[in-house]
Amino acid sequence: MKLNREDVLHIARLAKLGLEEDEINRLSKELSALLEHFEVLQQVDTTGVEPTAQSTPVKSVLKEDIIKPSYDREEILSNAPRRKGDYVRIRAVME
């Protein structure tokens, strides 16, 4: 499918793109070539192929949460330059 100048300008307006004259000519050729590739794909026989949104198996890349003991509170607070009770004391960021 060949796209003409008006088609490219219409697509550019929908995408809210401002195009220069050389870009219009270049995109006309590139988009036309892309649509030709889709025309070839439309000829592929897909009978018996179930529709899918994911072509590869989905697996979690997150590791399992394992509960384990934390550091001792006193040990952590002993490293604080200033402390107030069970909290690290800092200077006020906003007053």
Side-chain angles (χ1 to χ4, degrees):
M1 175 180 195
K2 293 285 184 190
L3 292 179
N4 58 30
R5 176 183 171 77
E6 290 74 32
D7 293 330
V8 173
L9 289 173
H10 178 69
I11 293 168
R13 273 193 299 276
L14 291 174
K16 298 185 183 202
L17 297 174
L19 299 177
E20 300 291 329
E21 193 61 38
D22 60 325
E23 292 175 314
I24 296 170
N25 294 329
R26 182 177 51 85
L27 285 174
S28 176
K29 292 175 188 171
E30 290 178 5
L31 292 173
S32 295
L34 185 64
L35 289 175
E36 288 173 13
H37 289 297
F38 279 107
E39 287 175 357
V40 171
L41 289 175
Q42 285 180 335
Q43 296 172 8
V44 175
D45 181 21
T46 58
T47 54
V49 178
E50 292 186 38
T52 180
Q54 183 70 32
S55 60
T56 58
V58 178
K59 65 177 188 175
S60 176
V61 295
L62 302 175
K63 68 179 189 176
E64 186 178 338
D65 286 339
I66 300 172
I67 298 173
K68 57 184 180 180
S70 183
Y71 294 103
D72 179 58
R73 180 181 301 167
E74 284 302 317
E75 183 182 345
I76 293 171
L77 290 171
S78 68
N79 292 313
R82 297 185 332 177
R83 118 182 223 190
K84 183 175 185 178
D86 288 339
Y87 302 100
V88 176
R89 185 180 165 111
I90 62 169
R91 289 184 318 187
V93 178
M94 293 187 278
E95 292 185 28

